[in-house]
Amino acid sequence: AQTVTQSQPEMSVQEAETVTLSCTYDTSESDYYLFWYKQPPSRQMILVIRQEAYKQQNATENRFSVNFQKAAKSFSLKISDSQLGDAAMYFCAYESNFGNEKLTFGTGTRLTIIP
Amino acid sequence: EPEVTQTPSHQVTQMGQEVILRCVPISNHLYFYWYRQILGQKVEFLVSFYNNEISEKSEIFDDQFSVERPDGSNFTLKIRSTKLEDSAMYFCASRSGGKAFFGQGTRLTVV
């Protein structure tokens, strides 16, 4: 079974600065997807970014980018130019390319933005 | 932009009562899911649904739980006899194009 580990329960960053959230995972599969989801206080789960394991190029979505290290099974999220609206819980998630594409989530990192 | 819609947003029920949580997935999606998040914990997979049947379920999804898609648009999760430990946020998701889209969740409180 796959596992996802987020070792930083909480992080904080000054507004306009850059912050990196860590995620590691364990799998024996070679083909899979990785995601970062944002959960603001409203508790809705919002997709931030997606990475296909077969792609070497790191995914980027505006101010959000990932550092995907397949051999190390590491998938960190970098948020540039942090904004107050970025304050939320961030969950890393793994999805196998085999089976029913269910998501396995990490325990989350609570990100606080300091004005 | 199409979105997944869940109702109600908050449900309070007495222990032992049945509850039905409702979801309207995005219309052209084929894969549907229920996830659960107990307060302060991570999001956990409950069940996946494809082609009008359960394709996978977790250990959490015992005989107290059932899902159905009664009319081709709604996707429901029924808990037959609620327990205190069923109190959680329940998320519906539908999937297409390699991405899962979540509803805003139903907060279930069992008293």
Side-chain angles (χ1 to χ4, degrees), chain A residues 19-92:
Chain A
V19 65
T20 299
L21 308 184
S22 301
C23 173
T24 58
Y25 58 94
D26 189 27
T27 183
S28 57
E29 298 173 341
S30 59
D31 196 10
Y32 49 87
Y33 301 93
L34 296 164
F35 301 84
W36 280 96
Y37 278 87
K38 171 184 177 181
Q39 188 180 45
S42 65
R43 300 198 72 183
Q44 180 156 12
M45 298 290 286
I46 301 166
L47 176 63
V48 175
I49 202 164
R50 171 180 182 257
Q51 174 80 42
E52 293 108 325
Y54 63 86
K55 287 189 177 178
Q56 291 190 338
Q57 186 174 6
N58 289 322
T60 299
E61 287 286 343
N62 301 314
R63 297 183 294 108
F64 298 87
S65 61
V66 298
N67 183 5
F68 173 49
Q69 302 289 328
K70 191 172 184 180
K73 296 180 183 171
S74 169
F75 182 60
S76 60
L77 175 69
K78 186 171 83 170
I79 307 173
S80 303
D81 185 24
S82 299
Q83 299 175 0
L84 294 177
D86 295 333
M89 280 290 284
Y90 285 81
F91 291 95
C92 178

Side-chain angles (χ1 to χ4, degrees), chain A residues 44, chain B residues 1-9 20-34 49 68-77 90-95 100-106:
Chain A
Q44 180 156 12
Chain B
E1 185 175 325
E3 58 181 23
V4 178
T5 305
Q6 289 186 242
T7 54
S9 56
I20 298 176
L21 310 183
R22 292 185 165 79
C23 170
V24 180
I26 296 172
S27 62
N28 61 344
H29 288 189
L30 300 177
Y31 294 86
F32 313 115
Y33 306 83
W34 283 100
F49 193 86
E68 62 176 8
R69 196 152 186 249
D71 56 11
S73 60
N74 290 285
F75 178 50
T76 62
L77 174 69
Y90 288 81
F91 291 101
C92 172
S94 67
R95 187 177 182 280
F101 296 88
F102 284 76
Q104 78 277 26
T106 293

